[in-house]
Amino acid sequence: GENVEQHPSTLSVQEGDSAVIKCTYSDSASNYFPWYKQELGKRPQLIIDIRSNVGEKKDQRIAVTLNKTAKHFSLHITETQPEDSAVYFCAAKGYRAGSYQLTFGKGTKLSVIP
Amino acid sequence: DAGVIQSPRHEVTEMGQEVTLRCKPISGHDYLFWYRQTMMRGLELLIYFNNNVPIDDSGMPEDRFSAKMPNASFSTLKIQPSEPRDSAVYFCATRGGSREDGYTFGSGTRLTVV
């Protein structure tokens, strides 16, 4: 089945700086890579996703890049703000028990220091 | 749509007691997933259903855990008997058919077993 590794586990940046979170996956057949943001005490929420036929996708201050050859994808947050502080999870859609399902990374706790 | 609805939001119970967590999926979403989240293990998939049928329960930690989905509008996760190590946040998530890749999470149930 799919295996997703996420780094770093914690990340602290100064407000206004950029933050980068990286994930690798094992199943070359995986074709969908979402990112979820989980604020303290709340549910994970989808913030951006990318499919395997695209190399990069942007939405305002966040962007995702995908390198299918190397089997890794990254989340980039520019001009970070205190409200970006949260745990971020990457995921890959891989084959499991007869259908394609998401496998999640362990999460990155991002702290933006004002 | 009210989204994925979980109840209760918080549950405190004594060791040995039975605990039942509930989930109402988004109407029309035919996949339902139960996750457990802890600091140590992150998001763990316990079991998932497709069209009310359990597909993969390999993540269920032991026989004390059971899950049902009697109809398209309702699912339960039961722990009997509960133990302190079951303390975690339990999330229910759903998604639509094969073209719908993203998961929508419920607000979660924070379970504390004392």
Side-chain angles (χ1 to χ4, degrees):
Chain A
E2 178 65 274
N3 183 47
V4 176
E5 300 285 338
Q6 183 172 348
H7 300 280
S9 56
T10 60
L11 179 61
S12 291
V13 299
Q14 290 292 133
E15 181 177 357
D17 287 350
S18 295
V20 180
I21 302 170
K22 299 182 180 182
C23 290
T24 60
Y25 62 99
S26 60
D27 185 356
S28 58
S30 290
N31 61 2
Y32 173 70
F33 307 91
W35 287 87
Y36 287 79
K37 175 183 180 182
Q38 186 179 24
E39 296 176 355
L40 189 63
K42 298 193 175 180
R43 75 187 79 187
Q45 291 196 293
L46 178 67
I47 56 171
I48 195 167
D49 55 18
I50 191 168
R51 298 186 187 278
S52 58
N53 59 347
V54 175
E56 184 176 1
K57 183 177 178 180
K58 288 184 179 180
D59 182 3
Q60 299 183 333
R61 295 187 297 108
I62 60 173
V64 289
T65 58
L66 171 65
N67 183 325
K68 285 169 44 181
T69 303
K71 288 189 282 188
H72 67 71
F73 56 113
S74 301
L75 176 71
H76 304 252
I77 307 174
T78 59
E79 301 172 20
T80 53
Q81 301 169 3
E83 52 264 39
D84 295 329
S85 295
V87 178
Y88 292 81
F89 293 94
C90 64
K93 184 182 168 191
Y95 198 74
R96 174 181 175 147
S99 67
Y100 282 93
Q101 304 302 335
L102 291 181
T103 299
F104 288 87
K106 292 279 193 254
T108 297
K109 183 177 181 181
L110 173 64
S111 300
V112 179
I113 304 164
Chain B
D1 196 325
V4 179
I5 300 172
Q6 288 188 248
S7 63
R9 289 296 309 274
H10 303 274
E11 176 80 32
V12 180
T13 191
E14 291 185 347
M15 182 174 62
Q17 296 298 305
E18 177 180 295
V19 176
T20 299
L21 311 181
R22 298 173 175 79
C23 177
K24 177 178 168 53
I26 292 173
S27 178
H29 278 199
D30 51 0
Y31 282 86
L32 184 143
F33 308 85
W34 281 102
Y35 283 90
R36 179 171 67 178
Q37 185 177 39
T38 60
M39 289 294 292
M40 291 296 294
R41 294 174 174 263
L43 275 167
E44 298 177 274
L45 177 64
L46 301 178
I47 185 171
Y48 80 89
F49 296 84
N50 181 20
N51 291 320
N52 314 335
V53 176
I55 303 300
D56 181 7
D57 65 355
S58 61
M60 297 285 262
E62 46 197 280
D63 292 345
R64 298 184 298 105
F65 286 70
S66 63
K68 294 182 180 180
M69 192 164 186
N71 57 62
S73 303
F74 185 63
S75 177
T76 58
L77 177 67
K78 185 177 294 186
I79 308 172
Q80 166 63 21
S82 58
E83 296 182 3
R85 60 194 169 112
D86 301 331
S87 298
V89 179
Y90 291 81
F91 285 103
C92 174
T94 70
R95 76 169 171 90
S98 59
R99 287 184 170 274
E100 301 282 339
D101 292 307
Y103 291 11
T104 300
F105 283 82
S107 297
T109 295
R110 180 174 295 277
L111 174 65
T112 304
V113 183
V114 298

